[in-house]
Amino acid sequence: MNQPLPFGAGRNGRPAPSDLTETMGKVAHGDKEAFSALYDALAPLVFGIVLKVVRDRAQSEEVAQEVMIDLWRQAARYRPEAGAVRTWAATIAHRRAVDRVRSAQAVTDREHAQAAREHTTAFDEVAEQVETRLESEQVRRCLRGLTELQRQAVTLAYYQGLTYREVAETLRTPLPTIKTRMRDGLIRLRDCMGVTT
């Protein structure tokens, strides 16, 4: 088979459209000379269609080359009664070009979505850390506003996970007194933190 010409170039002696059906039949039987003639006849058409859809010359050349390979591989599938060879080639070229554009768009969409997720995640983590730090500072400030006995009871219950009874035993204070201290302390904390019920 002769070396294919660049897209847009042609040779003298291209097959006439009526001869393309016969040429395609030969290509279907593996005739490399026939494929060379088919290539010369259809490459400019294929490239033009692909370029209109893809709009990037380098990618269009790649897609057009893939279409020509498809024509070689699928030549046996061509049916003259379904339409002209040029129409069949144009259809394959258009489909391939659209697939390339969709594929490129899908990649771009995935990259944008990933970048958005990463940006949002980073922002959310920072915002969450700042919010947690501010809340912690507010809790510490509000705890300083409690009496010593209230602060001890609340700290043992909420930061060390002790029950009312365990807090009472730790502080050697009657259980009803602990419950009162904790209730009063929690009310003051709620008011200090601006929590509404």
Side-chain angles (χ1 to χ4, degrees):
M1 181 168 79
N2 296 331
Q3 188 67 21
L5 293 174
F7 288 106
R11 272 195 199 133
N12 293 335
R14 280 188 190 165
S18 59
D19 295 338
L20 283 178
T21 302
E22 183 182 322
T23 304
M24 185 59 84
K26 291 178 183 178
V27 171
H29 288 95
D31 185 331
K32 293 179 182 178
E33 292 286 327
F35 180 68
S36 181
L38 185 74
Y39 189 101
D40 292 342
L42 297 179
L45 168 74
V46 166
F47 180 70
I49 291 169
V50 172
L51 185 60
K52 281 183 181 177
V53 175
V54 176
R55 297 183 181 191
D56 175 81
R57 187 167 187 85
Q59 283 193 39
S60 296
E61 288 177 1
E62 190 177 304
V63 172
Q65 199 68 26
E66 291 170 4
V67 171
M68 297 310 295
I69 291 169
D70 281 351
L71 293 177
W72 169 259
R73 290 180 179 157
Q74 297 180 29
R77 291 182 174 179
Y78 171 69
R79 298 289 173 254
E81 61 275 7
V85 172
R86 292 176 68 80
T87 304
W88 187 61
T91 302
I92 292 172
H94 187 263
R95 286 181 186 158
R96 273 282 190 160
V98 169
D99 287 347
R100 176 63 65 99
V101 170
R102 286 180 180 158
S103 176
Q105 186 61 49
V107 167
T108 301
D109 291 348
R110 280 193 302 273
E111 288 171 354
H112 287 312
Q114 180 64 29
R117 280 193 300 272
E118 288 172 0
H119 177 71
T120 301
T121 300
F123 173 79
D124 288 347
E125 288 172 5
V126 170
E128 191 174 309
Q129 288 173 359
V130 168
E131 189 175 322
T132 301
R133 189 172 300 137
L134 289 174
E135 286 175 359
S136 296
E137 288 174 13
Q138 186 177 9
V139 168
R140 281 193 292 275
R141 182 177 51 78
C142 290
L143 278 171
R144 286 192 297 269
L146 300 179
T147 67
E148 182 63 29
L149 298 174
Q150 289 171 337
R151 186 172 43 254
Q152 286 177 333
V154 169
T155 301
L156 288 171
Y158 287 95
Y159 290 106
Q160 295 183 17
L162 300 181
T163 64
Y164 285 125
R165 185 170 306 286
E166 291 170 333
V167 171
E169 290 170 5
T170 301
L171 296 178
R172 295 189 179 116
T173 305
L175 183 59
T177 304
I178 291 298
K179 287 182 178 181
T180 302
R181 286 180 189 165
M182 290 199 46
R183 187 195 72 224
D184 292 346
L186 292 174
I187 289 170
R188 287 178 73 178
L189 278 174
R190 182 194 67 199
D191 291 346
C192 177
M193 298 203 46
V195 176
T196 56
T197 54

